[in-house]
Amino acid sequence: MGRYIVKRLLAMIPLLVVISFLTFVFINLSPLDPAETVLKAQGVPSITDELLAQTKEELGLNKPFILQYADWLGSSMRFDFGQSYVTGQPVSELIGPAFVNTFKLTVISSIVIVALSIFLGVVCALNEGKVLDKATRSFSFLLIGMPSYWLAALMIWYFSVKLDLVPTSGMDSFKSYILPVAAITVGYTGIYFRTVRSSMLSNLNEGYVLYGRASGLPEKKITLHILRNSMQVAISIFCMGIPTILGGAVVIENVFAWPGLGSLSVKSILNRDFPVIQAYVLILAVAFVLFNTLSDVLNMVLNPKLRKGM
């Protein structure tokens, strides 16, 4: 088991290098001159060729492309993503607090999504074809079809403006989490609980279920065994769902004025703040790779058959 984990961690290294290179390449494909962007952000009235050349030298933009990438990669490994072209602050000082805020929102939303998905998936599977199952799935289709920004705006109007129960924006208190978490949870739960339900139904038809019932095992014990086997499929989806939520919270964060990565990335894109954009894309890519590895390891722990070939 330990050898498998080491292999998976080592396999991440070349993948992360490729991802970092592609991130650096795509950001630098922009036709805009980074040096000119910096000078405009500083409010320089007249940009001359000499000033552009001096700025490029200060930022290391006059080096060969591969050396620029090597410098950026080496710095990024030390969590030094350079300085913002707009504010002049270290990117890590901008990304750090924003990442923490988005991570809090993502963790809380993920916990709620997993709990609801497992609960609804199990209940619907055990009541297959009944009114409860049909009603739950129909309602989930309705919620999934709603655009997240429209649903978020509707929640703000009703719960914040009309009922005055929760804040409309910001993150001043625990109440500030309620609407953003609800807006994120609605869409993802509607998708994930059907995965749990489908996996539960496929396991209900397995021979071990019939054998367990014939042997007189308690129904709760059989259900828990079915749920454990069903989780092998769901775990991969849940693990990949966390970085998806992390990256997909852009719309929700902007609607609720949440000071996270989503809001920061939109501002950076509008301001052509390349170092911040590079750091944002790299963080999301690393998150996807890490959680993909985590899902493989968890499936290995849950399924002894996967360990036979180790």
Side-chain angles (χ1 to χ4, degrees):
M1 186 65 184
R3 187 192 307 172
Y4 173 78
I5 295 176
V6 171
K7 285 182 178 180
R8 292 293 288 118
L9 292 176
L10 291 177
M12 289 171 49
I13 297 175
L15 181 59
L16 290 175
V17 172
V18 171
I19 289 173
S20 66
F21 181 74
L22 292 176
T23 300
F24 191 80
V25 169
F26 287 139
I27 296 298
N28 282 274
L29 286 177
S30 172
L32 296 175
D33 188 345
E36 186 176 350
T37 302
V38 173
L39 293 173
K40 286 182 178 179
Q42 293 175 351
V44 177
S46 178
I47 300 176
T48 63
D49 292 339
E50 291 79 7
L51 195 55
L52 282 172
Q54 180 182 349
T55 304
K56 287 182 179 180
E57 185 175 356
E58 291 174 354
L59 297 175
L61 299 175
N62 57 347
K63 296 180 180 179
F65 177 81
I66 195 66
L67 290 181
Q68 292 184 44
Y69 165 70
D71 290 342
W72 175 74
L73 179 62
S75 299
S76 298
M77 292 176 66
R78 300 190 301 271
F79 299 99
D80 179 9
F81 302 103
Q83 292 184 321
S84 167
Y85 287 169
V86 177
T87 64
Q89 292 178 265
V91 174
S92 56
E93 292 184 4
L94 298 172
I95 287 282
F99 176 79
V100 171
N101 294 337
T102 298
F103 187 72
K104 290 178 182 177
L105 184 63
T106 300
V107 169
I108 295 174
S109 300
S110 298
I111 292 173
V112 177
I113 289 169
V114 170
L116 284 177
S117 297
I118 293 175
F119 174 76
L120 292 175
V122 172
V123 170
C124 289
L126 296 178
N127 295 275
E128 181 190 8
K130 296 181 181 179
V131 175
L132 178 61
D133 178 35
K134 293 179 178 178
T136 303
R137 286 188 291 142
S138 300
F139 189 59
S140 72
F141 280 119
L142 175 64
L143 293 178
I144 292 172
M146 294 182 182
S148 58
Y149 61 86
W150 182 82
L151 181 61
L154 191 63
M155 287 180 175
I156 291 174
W157 169 76
Y158 187 75
F159 293 105
S160 298
V161 177
K162 190 172 182 179
L163 299 181
D164 194 23
L165 295 176
V166 290
T168 59
S169 60
M171 51 176 300
D172 300 326
S173 64
F174 180 75
K175 287 185 176 180
S176 302
Y177 287 84
I178 296 176
L179 290 186
V181 169
I184 294 173
T185 300
V186 164
Y188 287 100
T189 301
I191 297 172
Y192 294 154
F193 98 87
R194 292 204 305 273
T195 302
V196 177
R197 175 185 177 275
S198 177
S199 185
M200 284 281 294
L201 289 176
S202 65
N203 276 278
L204 279 170
N205 297 320
E206 293 291 333
Y208 70 85
V209 177
L210 180 61
Y211 179 78
R213 286 172 176 166
S215 301
L217 290 177
E219 195 65 28
K220 287 184 178 180
K221 190 172 183 179
I222 295 174
T223 302
L224 288 174
H225 196 69
I226 295 172
L227 179 61
R228 179 184 175 183
N229 291 339
S230 302
M231 284 299 98
Q232 293 174 23
V233 176
I235 275 176
S236 299
I237 299 175
F238 286 143
C239 285
M240 294 311 297
I242 294 176
T244 301
I245 296 170
L246 190 68
V250 175
V251 175
I252 299 300
E253 287 187 1
N254 279 276
V255 171
F256 291 101
W258 191 268
L261 284 177
S263 302
L264 179 63
S265 66
V266 170
K267 292 178 183 177
S268 301
I269 292 171
L270 294 176
N271 294 326
R272 310 294 195 273
D273 202 347
F274 297 143
V276 178
I277 300 172
Q278 284 178 325
Y280 172 71
V281 174
L282 182 63
I283 288 172
L284 289 185
V286 170
F288 271 98
V289 174
L290 287 175
F291 279 97
N292 182 48
T293 303
L294 178 62
S295 69
D296 290 344
V297 173
L298 289 177
N299 279 321
M300 184 72 66
V301 172
L302 287 175
N303 191 351
K305 293 181 181 179
L306 296 177
R307 297 197 291 267
K308 289 181 179 179
M310 292 174 56

